[in-house]
Amino acid sequence: MASFVEKILQNAGMMEKKLINEKLELLTKKLTELEAEIYQLVKTKYISYYPCLEASESLCQRVQDINNEIYSLEQKIKQESNLFSVNSEFCTLNQELVNSKQIFSGLQYLVEINDLLQTAKETTSDGSLTEAANALNKLESYFKNNLGQQKEKITILKTLEVNFKIQKATLETVVCTQWSDSIKWISSSDSEFKVLTLSIATDRNLKDVVHGLQACHILERHMKKFAENFQKLVLPLVLEEPELAIESKSASSSRELRLKTPNSKKGSVDCVGEEQMYKTVFANLLLVLEHLNSMLLKIDFQQKDELQQGSGQTLMNWLGEEVASSFLDSLKQTVLAKAIPSNIKDLDGFRSVIDATQILQDKLLTLGFLQLDDQSLMTYVQNINMLFANKKSQTIIEKARDLMTSNLFESLAVNDTRPLSELPPLSSGPLKAIVPENVLSENTFKMPKCNISQNIDTLVQLAYETMCEATGSEECAIQMFYSVRSMFEMFCHVVPTHHAHSLKTVPQLAALHHNNCMYIAHHLMTMGHQFAPKLPRDYSVTFVDLIQQIRKNGIDVMIAQVQRQKDLLMEYLDGSEGFSNLETESNIEKAKKSVGQVVFQLEHLKKIWKPVLPINNYKKALGQLIKSVVTRVVDSVIALEDIAQDASQRILELLTSLEKVCGECLTSPGEVASVELTRHCLSWPRFTELKLVLNSSLTDIADRWAEGKGPLASAFTAMELKKLIRALFQNTERRGNLLALIK
């Protein structure tokens, strides 16, 4: 019985095997025919470029039919697999079926590529740019798939890939052209206005264009260009033009945003007020962004399936990411910085600026221009104390620099009838009376009478005003104090550098600078002590360390000027040629001209220095110059080998005229010239004794020598006097006796 059953099963298996073999052979034949027809279709369409729509549709249907047959045969083999589990022929049939499926998958791959290329071409022509881009993106992923041996066998793939690239380039050209035609920046001008126009087409599906650009991965390039134009053309108008007019107009095929600014500037910023300009800028900015949002920037540039997952973004978000950071920096520096008050009493009024900024921040977040975590705008305005201190410091330094670099020649007098920059009280409230043991002079801390530059007086007043403001704000006090210190530190470098040529060549300015330095140092001695009680005690509020540097600055300039004047006077005296040979008219004229130049220069210095310098400083400076002149004249006369009687009289005349001018330079009404000259010119006794010797006899000279104890002995050495006697007097017995007495 068992053998009978096995025989029946064997016969049934043989019949099924035969039937399957027949079906597999028929399927293989159909696949071979289909492969040839598909290859021919693709070649005809993508290489020969013949139209073949009907053939393509027919092949698609045949592919589907064969797919169904393969599936049916595969199921049949699986159902009968038990009958052939021990039969090697079944393995052969199964392998043939696998090979047929591989061939079919390759053919199906080609058909899908053909369908996608056809879809991309048709949708591009129809203007469905997003659909076309999606088809090409899917095609790109197909070409990247690894098909193993099938990819090597399908030689037509290279041609299909070339057609894909051509179709992709065509789509990119179409979407780029539509974007460029849809968005246009136009600048124009007439006699009254400059106009910037942004025109956006309304007769095109801009959303589809945007999605097409995004699907082609080129939206970023075009948005960057849009952001550049927005930042270069729009934002400067919003930030810098308070009279900006914003208009929105709609036409049949487009919508326009116009920004109009007047050609002529009529002080519009002053009319609006720099501190209130932020209101206009905020309003204009929001108006521009709202118009742009409704015209273009509200478009989502992500595709719908991505938006449904919560990853969608708008073009406004993209624009904000590109320009928000630099724009906010400009907004702070050019608008909000101007809204910061200049006086500490106006700080409370800044609350309105903070509120307006908060409203702006919220609206920019709502529009999507700012990110949720971007709080830089509010952080900036809320730090008002630091902002005020920084602005005040910058204003102080800028104003101080302007004062230091401007004209210093305009001067005013410091005297008892007009005190300058009066000191604030050192403390408030009643003071306990203290009776000092030793009373100081009233002039101990008194600035001597002199002239100073008006700008420097204004500079000192600025320092006092700033220190007074510092006492009104504990948060800003120290920074404002250091601003004042920086101002005076800057004085030591800016003035000598900026006015270097004038300080060197103009004696009057050198004298004013000397007084300016003394005036500043005079106030710095007590300024720190005046304000220290009302400033934080953790800091050393003092300016005393700057006093020596500032004084030295003024003294060095004045010493350099005195030295220059001395060199100039010596140059004039060089023209006298040592007062030699005054018997001739030419030498007499040279000596007169030389002394005349010295006299003129001394009178000039008297005219410009005496009203400016404190009287003691003036007399010291002129005394040094007169000393140099007198020393040079006396030494020149003593050096002469022979002085004729006529020559001695001419020298005496020149010395007398010089003596008169020197006396006038160093005296004021009620003062004795000889006393002042002797006090401030150490060489003056030699000068007066020389005059006496030139106009004296040998007997008079002997009396004034008085055996080395007379006034002549204190003025000249024995050798100098002997030489002078030999030059003036002939060689006689009396001269010999006198020379013998001088030891």
Side-chain angles (χ1 to χ4, degrees):
M1 184 66 179
S3 59
F4 178 73
V5 171
E6 290 177 359
K7 188 174 182 180
I8 292 175
L9 290 174
Q10 186 176 6
N11 291 333
M14 293 293 291
M15 293 176 64
E16 289 296 333
K17 180 177 132 181
K18 183 178 180 181
L19 180 62
I20 291 172
N21 273 330
E22 290 176 354
K23 288 186 177 182
L24 192 56
E25 289 175 0
L26 181 60
L27 179 62
T28 303
K29 182 179 179 181
K30 288 182 179 180
L31 281 174
T32 303
E33 293 174 355
L34 182 63
E35 182 178 8
E37 289 185 36
I38 289 177
Y39 179 83
Q40 187 61 39
L41 172 68
V42 173
K43 181 179 179 182
T44 300
K45 184 174 182 181
Y46 297 105
I47 297 179
S48 302
Y49 297 104
Y50 293 146
C52 45
L53 178 59
E54 293 181 0
S56 177
E57 292 176 348
S58 174
L59 282 176
C60 289
Q61 183 60 44
R62 293 178 63 189
V63 167
Q64 185 61 39
D65 294 341
I66 292 177
N67 186 32
N68 294 335
E69 291 184 23
I70 290 175
Y71 178 77
S72 175
L73 185 59
E74 185 178 19
Q75 294 300 316
K76 185 69 175 177
I77 292 175
K78 287 181 179 179
Q79 291 174 3
E80 303 297 333
S81 60
N82 292 330
L83 297 176
F84 307 113
S85 57
V86 293
N87 196 330
S88 62
E89 293 183 5
F90 171 74
C91 295
T92 303
L93 292 175
N94 191 54
Q95 183 61 43
E96 290 179 3
L97 178 62
V98 169
N99 293 339
S100 297
K101 288 179 66 177
Q102 289 179 349
I103 293 172
F104 176 74
S105 66
L107 297 177
Q108 191 176 31
Y109 178 74
L110 289 176
V111 171
E112 290 179 359
I113 290 177
N114 174 70
D115 289 345
L116 289 172
L117 282 172
Q118 187 67 30
T119 300
K121 183 177 181 180
E122 291 174 356
T123 51
T124 300
S125 301
D126 296 342
S128 302
L129 304 179
T130 305
E131 189 176 350
N134 289 335
L136 290 175
N137 286 337
K138 191 173 181 180
L139 262 177
E140 188 172 17
S141 66
Y142 274 24
F143 285 119
K144 290 179 180 178
N145 287 338
N146 185 13
L147 298 177
Q149 296 179 354
Q150 290 286 5
K151 188 171 184 179
E152 296 177 0
K153 293 179 181 179
I154 307 175
T155 56
I156 199 70
L157 274 179
K158 291 184 178 179
T159 302
L160 293 174
E161 192 167 1
V162 170
N163 278 270
F164 157 72
K165 292 178 179 179
I166 293 172
Q167 190 61 43
K168 185 177 180 180
T170 302
L171 177 62
E172 289 181 1
T173 302
V174 170
V175 293
C176 290
T177 301
Q178 290 209 18
W179 174 270
S180 301
D181 292 342
S182 300
I183 300 173
K184 296 181 179 179
W185 299 89
I186 305 167
S187 295
S188 59
S189 179
D190 55 27
S191 60
E192 296 183 7
F193 294 98
K194 294 179 182 177
V195 182
L196 173 66
T197 303
L198 173 59
S199 177
I200 298 181
T202 56
D203 58 350
R204 293 185 179 89
N205 188 350
L206 279 178
K207 189 171 184 178
D208 195 51
V209 175
V210 170
H211 287 169
L213 289 170
Q214 175 67 357
C216 292
H217 311 295
I218 56 176
L219 177 61
E220 181 177 1
R221 181 207 316 166
H222 291 277
M223 277 305 297
K224 281 185 176 294
K225 182 63 177 177
F226 182 89
E228 288 175 6
N229 286 330
F230 179 77
Q231 190 165 14
K232 181 175 67 175
L233 303 175
V234 177
L235 292 184
L237 296 179
V238 173
L239 292 175
E240 301 169 10
E241 298 291 343
E243 293 187 0
L244 178 66
I246 303 172
E247 301 175 355
S248 178
K249 292 186 177 182
S250 298
S252 58
S253 61
S254 65
R255 186 175 172 186
E256 294 182 349
L257 177 64
R258 293 184 180 180
L259 306 180
K260 298 171 62 176
T261 57
N263 271 324
S264 60
K265 306 297 181 183
K266 300 179 180 179
S268 54
V269 174
D270 296 334
C271 295
V272 175
E274 285 190 349
E275 295 183 358
Q276 298 298 318
M277 186 178 171
Y278 73 94
K279 296 179 181 179
T280 304
V281 172
F282 287 3
N284 288 342
L285 173 64
L286 289 174
L287 188 58
V288 168
L289 289 178
E290 287 169 356
H291 282 309
L292 289 177
N293 195 54
S294 64
M295 295 165 66
L296 172 68
L297 300 181
K298 65 181 179 181
I299 296 176
D300 301 319
F301 62 83
Q302 299 285 5
Q303 296 184 33
K304 291 183 178 180
D305 58 340
E306 294 174 332
L307 285 172
Q308 291 170 355
Q309 298 173 7
S311 61
Q313 286 185 313
T314 65
L315 296 183
M316 180 66 80
N317 300 139
W318 202 329
L319 178 66
E321 290 176 2
E322 289 291 326
V323 306
S325 178
S326 60
F327 166 70
L328 292 182
D329 290 340
S330 299
L331 184 67
K332 296 169 192 174
Q333 296 169 8
T334 61
V335 178
L336 289 176
K338 295 176 181 178
I340 300 169
S342 301
N343 296 315
I344 200 166
K345 61 183 179 180
D346 298 328
L347 278 179
D348 293 338
F350 193 74
R351 185 69 233 177
S352 60
V353 181
I354 297 177
D355 294 340
T357 305
Q358 182 65 63
I359 294 172
L360 175 68
Q361 170 102 358
D362 294 341
K363 290 186 177 180
L364 292 179
L365 286 172
T366 302
L367 286 170
F369 186 75
L370 293 184
Q371 302 297 317
L372 289 174
D373 58 348
D374 190 346
Q375 297 294 321
S376 60
L377 204 57
M378 290 307 300
T379 302
Y380 177 81
V381 295
Q382 286 171 348
N383 194 11
I384 179 57
N385 288 319
M386 184 60 68
L387 291 175
F388 170 76
N390 289 339
K391 181 174 183 178
K392 188 67 179 180
S393 300
Q394 183 179 358
T395 302
I396 292 168
I397 297 301
E398 289 177 355
K399 188 173 182 180
R401 180 179 290 276
D402 290 341
L403 290 170
M404 295 174 196
T405 56
S406 57
N407 179 17
L408 297 180
F409 285 97
E410 295 183 8
S411 63
L412 44 79
V414 178
N415 52 43
D416 295 334
T417 59
R418 190 183 183 280
L420 300 177
S421 299
E422 294 182 352
L423 307 180
L426 293 176
S427 62
S428 58
L431 296 176
K432 182 179 179 181
I434 299 177
V435 180
E437 295 181 2
N438 300 314
V439 180
L440 296 175
S441 168
E442 293 180 356
N443 297 325
T444 301
F445 287 101
K446 191 174 182 181
M447 185 75 183
K449 296 178 181 179
C450 63
N451 277 19
I452 63 170
S453 299
Q454 287 185 4
N455 287 342
I456 299 305
D457 176 52
T458 305
L459 184 72
V460 173
Q461 290 179 9
L462 176 64
Y464 276 110
E465 291 169 2
T466 305
M467 291 300 294
C468 287
E469 282 196 82
T471 61
S473 173
E474 185 174 350
E475 295 83 0
C476 308
I478 295 303
Q479 187 169 353
M480 294 173 72
F481 159 69
Y482 279 108
S483 298
V484 176
R485 277 189 60 92
S486 299
M487 180 175 72
F488 289 120
E489 289 172 353
M490 186 173 66
F491 173 85
C492 297
H493 302 284
V494 171
V495 174
T497 303
H498 184 80
H499 300 281
H501 180 71
S502 297
L503 291 174
K504 180 180 179 181
T505 58
V506 183
Q508 182 183 10
L509 186 60
L512 280 171
H513 178 67
H514 169 271
N515 293 351
N516 294 339
C517 292
M518 298 304 116
Y519 183 74
I520 292 173
H522 173 76
H523 283 283
L524 293 186
M525 290 178 64
T526 56
M527 186 179 290
H529 300 289
Q530 290 170 254
F531 295 98
K534 295 184 179 181
L535 295 175
R537 298 184 179 275
D538 297 337
Y539 296 87
S540 176
V541 182
T542 182
F543 298 93
V544 175
D545 55 309
L546 300 177
I547 293 175
Q548 186 63 27
Q549 183 182 1
I550 293 174
R551 281 179 174 170
K552 184 177 183 299
N553 194 304
I555 291 172
D556 288 347
V557 169
M558 193 63 196
I559 289 176
Q561 184 60 230
V562 170
Q563 182 61 45
R564 182 176 180 277
Q565 294 301 319
K566 175 183 174 181
D567 294 341
L568 190 60
L569 292 171
M570 295 302 103
E571 183 181 339
Y572 292 155
L573 289 175
D574 287 341
S576 67
E577 298 183 355
F579 300 100
S580 61
N581 300 322
L582 293 189
E583 298 85 2
T584 63
E585 288 298 327
S586 61
N587 287 343
I588 292 174
E589 291 301 321
K590 290 179 182 178
K592 285 183 178 180
K593 180 180 179 181
S594 175
V595 173
Q597 288 177 316
V598 170
V599 167
F600 177 82
Q601 189 64 20
L602 290 175
E603 289 178 337
H604 174 66
L605 292 176
K606 171 191 174 184
K607 182 178 179 181
I608 61 175
W609 276 357
K610 194 170 185 179
V612 173
L613 289 167
I615 191 63
N616 287 338
N617 297 88
Y618 165 74
K619 289 186 176 182
K620 287 179 182 178
L622 260 291
Q624 287 294 320
L625 295 178
I626 292 173
K627 173 188 173 183
S628 300
V629 171
V630 166
T631 301
R632 175 69 176 275
V633 170
V634 172
D635 291 345
S636 297
V637 174
I638 292 175
L640 295 174
E641 296 291 337
D642 183 37
I643 304 174
Q645 185 175 1
D646 292 341
S648 66
Q649 290 302 312
R650 292 189 177 107
I651 292 174
L652 186 61
E653 291 174 1
L654 293 173
L655 296 184
T656 301
S657 64
L658 184 60
E659 179 183 23
K660 179 182 177 183
V661 172
C662 291
E664 292 174 350
C665 288
L666 287 183
T667 56
S668 299
E671 293 179 339
V672 179
S674 59
V675 174
E676 295 301 319
L677 286 168
T678 304
R679 179 183 300 168
H680 297 288
C681 178
L682 299 179
S683 300
W684 192 252
R686 284 169 59 84
F687 184 82
T688 56
E689 291 301 318
L690 176 61
K691 282 183 60 183
L692 290 173
V693 170
L694 290 174
N695 198 33
S696 298
S697 63
L698 291 173
T699 302
D700 295 333
I701 294 173
D703 292 340
R704 292 194 69 80
W705 178 257
E707 298 180 353
K709 299 178 182 179
L712 195 55
S714 62
F716 296 104
T717 64
M719 185 177 297
E720 289 175 334
L721 184 58
K722 286 181 179 181
K723 187 174 181 181
L724 190 56
I725 292 172
R726 291 190 181 100
L728 287 170
F729 298 96
Q730 294 181 352
N731 187 9
T732 62
E733 185 179 352
R734 290 182 61 193
R735 191 186 80 169
N737 293 334
L738 179 59
L739 292 174
L741 291 174
I742 298 173
K743 298 179 182 179

